[in-house]
Amino acid sequence: MDSALQPPPPKTRRRRKDARPAEIIDAGLAEFAEHGFAGTKLEDVARRAGIVKGTIYRYFDSKDALFEAALKARLTPLIDEVEQLVATFPGSSTELLRLAMRLAYGRMFQPDAQALMRIIISEGRRFPAITELYHRETVAKGRRMIAAIVARGVARGEFRAGAAADLPIVVMAPAIMAAVWKMTFEPFDPLDLEKFAAAHADLALDGILTRGVTAL
Amino acid sequence: MDSALQPPPPKTRRRRKDARPAEIIDAGLAEFAEHGFAGTKLEDVARRAGIVKGTIYRYFDSKDALFEAALKARLTPLIDEVEQLVATFPGSSTELLRLAMRLAYGRMFQPDAQALMRIIISEGRRFPAITELYHRETVAKGRRMIAAIVARGVARGEFRAGAAADLPIVVMAPAIMAAVWKMTFEPFDPLDLEKFAAAHADLALDGILTRGVTAL
Amino acid sequence: MDSALQPPPPKTRRRRKDARPAEIIDAGLAEFAEHGFAGTKLEDVARRAGIVKGTIYRYFDSKDALFEAALKARLTPLIDEVEQLVATFPGSSTELLRLAMRLAYGRMFQPDAQALMRIIISEGRRFPAITELYHRETVAKGRRMIAAIVARGVARGEFRAGAAADLPIVVMAPAIMAAVWKMTFEPFDPLDLEKFAAAHADLALDGILTRGVTAL
Amino acid sequence: MDSALQPPPPKTRRRRKDARPAEIIDAGLAEFAEHGFAGTKLEDVARRAGIVKGTIYRYFDSKDALFEAALKARLTPLIDEVEQLVATFPGSSTELLRLAMRLAYGRMFQPDAQALMRIIISEGRRFPAITELYHRETVAKGRRMIAAIVARGVARGEFRAGAAADLPIVVMAPAIMAAVWKMTFEPFDPLDLEKFAAAHADLALDGILTRGVTAL
DNA sequence: TATGAATGAGTCTTCATTCAT
DNA sequence: TATGAATGAAGACTCATTCAT
């Protein structure tokens, strides 16, 4: 997916370490995710990219510019066609929801996506344009997708109408917690993603209440 | 609760610039939450506290020390007695869970708690000791609490055993998403906390599936 | 005259090298005159002022700001009262002109004035605001002064009306050449200022033609 | 005159970007005059010459080398034969002086000569070898020329012996002021060169005093 | 204790210069 | 020969920290 961003290796051997923008962006993303914007030293980015500090400026006007470019490069927009998928999906809404959850988990826990998320949470306030972009291309689309699925389920009588269905993002919410957990507490208290995803699905579909019992 | 950290106002009037540690900590917390550790300038902290940069060093050895002190000061440990509450709670487990959720929401969205959370997410990696402390005093306790509640519900036949009950933190997970959302996307796409909490409770208790239908 | 710009020495002993703005300005002016704006290193300015690079920034926002401040501080405006002097001068216009020339030479060849002039010539294009200020406060006033003197001489029948009297700045012009010469060729071909001033006066008053002979 | 420095265009058509030394020198001279030595970026010189930064190094060893080469290339030595002209000039010394002044003005206000002068004034101190060369080839020769003319005038009884005749450079001095003025204050206070030259001649020949009146 | 000036170790950024193609 | 990428040594500017008062 991201591979489109990295042009194929050049035909002839390169100078020293092959330092095209893409590698700088990779290095930058990693450093920004690790140290935050202010805490990142361009020297470290350069070293990680195998080049020298000054070279960064051949491709990016400033640290800010690199930051924005790096985030934008990795911000892989959710495909809009999902809504069509929803419309044409042959199976049950439960299956569809499970599929969506698998996609979401599969995507959210890619290293790049994790890095991006961490950066957005940490630095978003200072880079509203990027936050807005991220929100528009990823968050909002994801929300529309899950809303469409829930709406379908309700329409077909598979899902309950109610407060949860009215704010369907809550259905996907636990995945965010898992992501935040992983980027924060993993070293002290690792999270078993498989189990968590299963618990998530279990909760989201059936709730915690015993079957047949009317919730308070 | 925090009051223990803020000594009672002195009996006599203070100088215009009243710069005790607590005010420095307040200022520091705010600045750290806003700009991150590396991005925070002690000069700004001082200005916000109404004092002068050098004065900070009268109370804190270094920026690091202030950072740790500020976080520790605001890190209000969850009271351990909750488990007793769970043991002695007279009502239904649903009621108990709703109560816990109210407590959680009431607490997590205090400005201080939000600031703390944001800082932990942003800077946790670089300050493992603090992250660990936060995890121990807040996260782990919260998890034990919710686990106790769920266990009680299951034991009393009110809650389903199953994947969710096995990883009960998932029950509280959506609140985290709300917190992250507020600290990140609120300006672009505000979240109605009341509605969200209601949807959360609705989902957590009943799931999204229609009643009486066995989930796939 | 400039002394007004240098506050009296402080009552108590100073820290290290006594580094108030005025000393930084002195150092800056010297360095700028010697190396031009771009060629001047703030480190050198600091060293010359007996301080450290960073200290400059306590007093000046940037190299630019120091540059402008330094020039403005040394730009001692010509006193406007000269015109009154012209109106009330009791002697002949020749005496008055000689007096003005003495003043001009006495002033233009002060080290500060030389430094200022050299900087204005070298950097004026890049700092139009300063050039304009210099022009307004020094050059234009000087020109008005000489114009007034010449007008007086013409009115009293002492000076010839004619092309020179119509553009009286030409009367003072040779002094500029002397200044430029001194700042440029002095090491190779020193200029005897006394002799030059005498030659200047001789030329300006009598011209090169023999008396009684009508020029071409 | 300069043509010796610019080789004739090649017989065959050139590539689009025709970047021989002469064009680099043109560009360099312009940039140096505009921004000074330190303030000039080779990248800008290259762009102005229609080539690329690295190419400059094919022709010049360093920025310094380009600087010197550029100045030397434009430094058109005054022709030594002037002295012969003086010796053989048929007309009056006044006519001869006027002729010399016309030549001087005609030459000094060429764009190249202006650029050169500005650079010499601005950077001369840092490049004594060039300053000395300029002095030797232009200034000193000019001075000899004017000295010869004045001497002739005095010898023929047309010019007064006296202080001005003893330091004949003062006769030409106003032209320098005009040059400095043009390169510095022209945007704020333009100088009418025709009028100035006329005033200059008027002053230099007749002085400001009324005819028939003994000065001072 | 509080201040504010000073320090100096960084950090970003620029740019003359080199080098492989 | 010309290019354009890369280098690395500065240089402007910042800011945590120190220190005299």
Side-chain angles (χ1 to χ4, degrees), chain C residues 13 15 40-42 53-54 57 62-63:
Chain C
R13 63 196 142 42
R15 205 166 169 7
T40 290
K41 308 174 199 173
L42 288 189
K53 205 169 25 161
Y57 287 86
S62 64
K63 193 183 180 182

Side-chain angles (χ1 to χ4, degrees), chain D residues 9 30 38-39 48 72 99 105 142 165 174:
Chain D
R48 194 189 269 251
K72 283 180 183 160
L99 171 63
Y105 275 83

Side-chain angles (χ1 to χ4, degrees), chain C residues 34-173:
Chain C
E34 227 172 279
H35 305 106
F37 179 78
T40 290
K41 308 174 199 173
L42 288 189
E43 178 130 31
D44 292 344
V45 173
R47 194 186 351 272
R48 192 189 271 253
I51 58 173
V52 136
K53 205 169 25 161
T55 303
I56 294 177
Y57 287 86
R58 178 158 297 281
Y59 299 100
F60 305 96
D61 283 345
S62 64
K63 193 183 180 182
D64 264 77
L66 169 60
F67 184 76
E68 303 209 353
L71 293 198
K72 282 181 183 161
R74 285 300 169 274
L75 194 161
T76 47
L78 285 184
I79 347 83
D80 291 305
E81 294 78 31
V82 177
E83 298 188 18
Q84 297 183 15
L85 168 69
V86 172
T88 62
F89 188 76
S92 73
S93 294
T94 294
E95 282 173 302
L96 182 53
L97 181 60
R98 284 189 184 279
L99 172 62
M101 286 176 67
R102 262 198 306 282
L103 288 176
Y105 274 82
R107 180 150 181 177
M108 279 177 47
F109 295 89
Q110 301 292 343
D112 256 29
Q114 284 271 93
L116 203 55
M117 235 166 118
R118 163 194 283 284
I119 297 173
I120 294 288
I121 295 176
S122 301
E123 310 288 345
R125 282 282 174 83
R126 270 148 275 159
F127 296 88
I130 286 183
T131 306
E132 205 261 324
L133 183 66
Y134 182 83
H135 173 265
R136 173 154 31 89
E137 295 299 334
T138 298
V139 179
K141 284 185 181 172
R143 188 170 56 172
R144 273 204 297 281
M145 182 181 74
I146 185 73
I149 293 171
V150 169
R152 178 190 127 129
V154 171
R156 295 168 52 139
E158 297 168 291
F159 293 164
R160 278 191 310 114
D166 284 350
L167 203 55
I169 199 176
V170 76
V171 173
M172 207 54 102

